[in-house]
């Protein structure tokens, strides 16, 4: 009773309970308390006692012995005293190194971060900084260099608490240099690496699903084992595998997440490139063929995400990292470790522990190539850009002729399936897509792409 009255004096705004984690948000002193109680479920019985101690702490009446024992800044008893908790606050953990800030994805993430979190110290690597970059972002530190400048990249990564690598996701030297640098960082640090659902394409391993629907939809929770075991020739696989290896060898201090977008639509908001790839490529190919097109019956399906929703996944991941990790599976890290230990005699669970888990798909919707082609035909015909409102099926030979320098491009972009569900972002980041749908934005994306060709 006495305890309950004490709690009544503290206006509690939010109490949320997930597993054995309790979050208590109060309006007094803008206090946000995140209590992790390990020790499997019997930890629950300590909650009332912990609640009492929290109230004592906020009122300044906590017993000195407990205050000393729990202090973040207590004096070590001996050099390297492991009982000293690592003290990480949002003020400390805010040095960023960012690549790709002139790109469609990287620029949109960069601009959104700089806008939402001016308190973060951002450093960007650019090979060709836009002329007005410094005047637009006076507080951002600029390092001039390319992805081949290993030493420059490693040095910048070594001083960062969080590295957001969102330029060319397939550049192995850039990624290796980042990891080399991060391993020199004096405490744990976070890497968010960009991939793409091109890694799910069935072609060229099989032509079975070219222009036809593949029923398989990948979940980053249910199908995580398949996602992290793609064949060596799959797109983005080589750099994804670099992250898997680094996480396996250094996961205690190198916390990693791979973000894996499907095709992205909508206008970006960064200081450089603001258009995505699919629609400009589709418009380029339509101009060559004179009509929107698909292979076979065009039932092959692709995931889509609006750039704003995709950026939100990044922001949530960054905020989780700044908060010391949040509820995110960073690499192989598994929370509730005592519970897992308790269950680890089960071989299945032991097997699960060895799987890379920090993989975040991002699709918010799907569309078939035929539906996209037919909607595009109607829009472009209405705008006077093409002479018919119909889309047509084309042959493999016609598809191959569209991008003669890179013949796979047409098959990958318009003939394959890449179906995915962003289950992990929903579960671990509370992500809910809010941006307009692909169909709402299709006309303006098409008009942007056509304007860029004129
Ligand atoms: N857009 C999509 O729909 C989509 C979907 C799934 C996956 N992805 C993947 O995401 C990655 C980025 O896509 P994006 O659309 O943002 O591409 P983007 O607009 O072309 O941006 C690429 C960024 O990387 C930088 N960059 C590339 N090579 C570099 C180098 N050697 N040295 C220094 N900087 C370099 C570019 O700098 P500069 O400005 O100097 O060129 C630019 O800032 C790609 O790997 C792509 O495959 C994209």
């Amino acid at each position: 009773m006495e305890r309950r009255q004490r709690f009544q004096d503290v206006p509690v705004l939010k109490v949320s309970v997930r597993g054995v984690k309790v979050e208590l948000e109060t309006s007094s002193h803008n206090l946000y308390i995140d209590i992790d109680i390990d020790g499997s479920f019997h930890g629950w019985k300590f909650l009332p006692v912990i609640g009492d101690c929290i109230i004592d702490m906020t009122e300044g009446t906590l017993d000195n012995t407990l205050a000393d024992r729990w202090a973040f800044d207590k004096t070590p008893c001996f050099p390297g005293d492991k009982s000293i908790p690592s003290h990480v606050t949002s003020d400390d953990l805010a040095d960023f190194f960012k690549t790709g800030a002139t790109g469609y994805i990287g620029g949109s993430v960069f601009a959104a971060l700089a806008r939402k979190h001016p308190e973060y110290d951002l450093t960007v690597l650019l090979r060709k900084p836009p002329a007005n970059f410094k005047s637009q972002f006076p507080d951002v530190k600029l390092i001039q260099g390319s992805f081949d400048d290993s030493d420059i990249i490693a040095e910048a990564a070594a001083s960062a608490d969080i590295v957001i690598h969102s330029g060319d996701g397939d550049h192995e030297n850039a990624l290796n240099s980042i990891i080399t640098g991060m391993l020199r960082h004096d405490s744990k640090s976070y890497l968010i690496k960009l991939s793409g659902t091109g890694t799910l394409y069935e072609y060229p391993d099989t032509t079975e699903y070219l222009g036809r629907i593949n029923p398989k939809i990948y979940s980053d929770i249910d199908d995580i084992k398949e996602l992290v075991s793609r064949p060596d020739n799959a797109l983005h696989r080589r750099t994804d595998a670099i992250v898997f290896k680094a996480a396996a060898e250094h996961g205690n201090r190198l916390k990693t997440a791979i973000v894996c977008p499907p095709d992205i639509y909508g206008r970006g908001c960064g200081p450089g490139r603001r258009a995505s790839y699919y629609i400009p490529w589709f418009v380029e190919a339509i101009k060559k063929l004179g009509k929107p097109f698909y292979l076979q019956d065009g039932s092959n399906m692709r995931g889509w995400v609006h750039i704003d929703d995709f950026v939100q996944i990044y922001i949530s991941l960054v905020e989780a990292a700044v908060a010391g990790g949040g509820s995110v599976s960073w690499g192989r890290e598994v929370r509730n470790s005592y519970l897992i230990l308790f269950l680890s005699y089960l071989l299945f669970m032991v097997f699960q522990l060895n799987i890379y888990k920090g993989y975040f798909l991002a699709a918010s919707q799907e569309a078939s190539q035929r539906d996209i082609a037919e909607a595009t035909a109607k829009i472009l015909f209405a705008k006077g850009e093409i002479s018919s409102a119909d889309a047509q099926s084309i042959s493999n030979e016609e598809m191959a002729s569209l991008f003669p320098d890179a013949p796979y491009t047409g098959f990958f972009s318009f003939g394959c399936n890449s179906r995915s569900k962003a289950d992990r972002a929903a579960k671990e980041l509370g992500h809910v897509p809010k941006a307009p749908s692909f169909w709402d934005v299709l006309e303006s994306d098409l008009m942007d792409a056509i304007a860029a060709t004129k």
Side-chain angles (χ1 to χ4, degrees), residues 95-101 105-107 109-110 113-114 120-125 147 157 160-167 175 178 182 190-194 257 259 311 314-315 317-319 321-322 330:
D95 285 333
F96 287 75
F97 174 48
K98 170 102 185 52
T99 66
I105 297 172
V109 171
F110 164 71
L113 260 186
Y120 292 169
D121 285 330
L122 293 171
T123 298
V124 296
L125 176 94
F147 287 174
D161 303 300
I162 300 174
V163 177
I164 306 173
H165 181 38
S166 49
L175 182 59
I178 284 170
M182 291 181 78
Y190 292 84
L191 168 64
I192 303 174
K193 184 260 185 194
L194 180 58
V259 279
V311 165
Y314 265 97
I315 301 281
L317 274 171
V318 164
E319 289 173 347
V322 169
W330 294 98

Side-chain angles (χ1 to χ4, degrees), residues 99-107 125-129 145-148 166-171 194-198 236 260-265 272-278 304:
T99 66
T102 48
Y104 171 63
I105 297 172
L125 176 94
L126 295 179
R127 55 181 168 180
K128 285 176 280 170
S146 89
F147 287 174
D148 298 315
S166 49
D168 171 2
D170 297 325
H171 203 292
L194 180 58
S195 186
T197 57
H236 314 306
C260 186
D263 288 300
I264 310 175
Y265 64 93
R273 199 178 133 82
R274 292 189 166 185
S276 190
Y277 278 106
Y278 177 100
W304 286 92

Side-chain angles (χ1 to χ4, degrees), residues 91-256:
D91 286 343
D92 298 332
L93 190 55
D95 285 333
F96 287 75
F97 174 48
K98 170 102 185 52
T99 66
T102 48
Y104 171 63
I105 297 172
S108 302
V109 171
F110 164 71
L113 260 186
R115 195 172 49 242
K116 185 165 184 205
H117 288 293
E119 75 278 17
Y120 292 169
D121 285 330
L122 293 171
T123 298
V124 296
L125 176 94
L126 295 179
R127 55 181 168 180
K128 285 176 280 170
N132 59 354
F133 187 85
K134 250 334 213 181
S135 59
Q136 266 187 293
F137 302 100
D139 297 329
V140 173
K141 187 176 164 203
L142 174 61
I143 298 175
Q144 197 145 357
S146 89
F147 287 174
D148 298 315
D149 293 321
S150 312
D151 292 344
I152 293 176
I153 294 175
E155 194 184 327
S159 353
D161 303 300
I162 300 174
V163 177
I164 306 173
H165 181 38
S166 49
D168 171 2
D170 297 325
H171 203 292
E172 292 178 46
N173 184 65
L175 182 59
N176 281 322
S177 307
I178 284 170
I179 291 171
T180 303
M182 291 181 78
L183 292 175
R184 298 208 297 258
H185 192 64
D186 52 12
S187 56
K188 83 174 170 184
S189 54
Y190 292 84
L191 168 64
I192 303 174
K193 184 260 185 194
L194 180 58
S195 186
T197 57
T199 196
L200 304 178
Y201 294 154
E202 318 91 343
Y203 181 79
D205 287 348
T206 171
T207 53
E208 184 184 351
Y209 295 111
L210 268 187
R212 298 193 183 91
I213 190 164
N214 182 338
K216 176 70 185 173
I217 305 177
Y218 290 86
S219 155
D220 46 11
I221 292 180
D222 299 340
D223 303 306
I224 185 68
K225 186 168 166 256
E226 285 173 79
L227 279 174
V228 300
S229 337
R230 298 293 300 151
D232 287 344
N233 64 343
L235 281 183
H236 314 306
R237 165 71 191 179
R238 289 169 73 97
T239 46
D240 282 1
I242 291 173
V243 176
F244 302 151
K245 182 166 180 287
E249 291 171 0
H250 310 286
N252 55 335
R253 46 199 290 251
L254 183 67
K255 304 295 176 192
T256 60

Side-chain angles (χ1 to χ4, degrees), residues 374-384 439 442-443 446-447:
E374 287 180 344
T376 299
K378 287 190 178 63
I379 292 168
L380 295 188
F381 178 69
K383 298 281 178 189
W439 305 113
L442 180 59
E443 181 171 327
L446 285 168
M447 291 304 108

Side-chain angles (χ1 to χ4, degrees), residues 210-212 294-299 370 392-396:
L210 268 187
R212 298 193 183 91
Y294 48 88
L295 281 178
Q296 304 293 340
D297 65 5
S299 57
R370 182 168 184 151
Q392 286 177 26
S393 181
I394 61 170
S395 66
N396 285 0

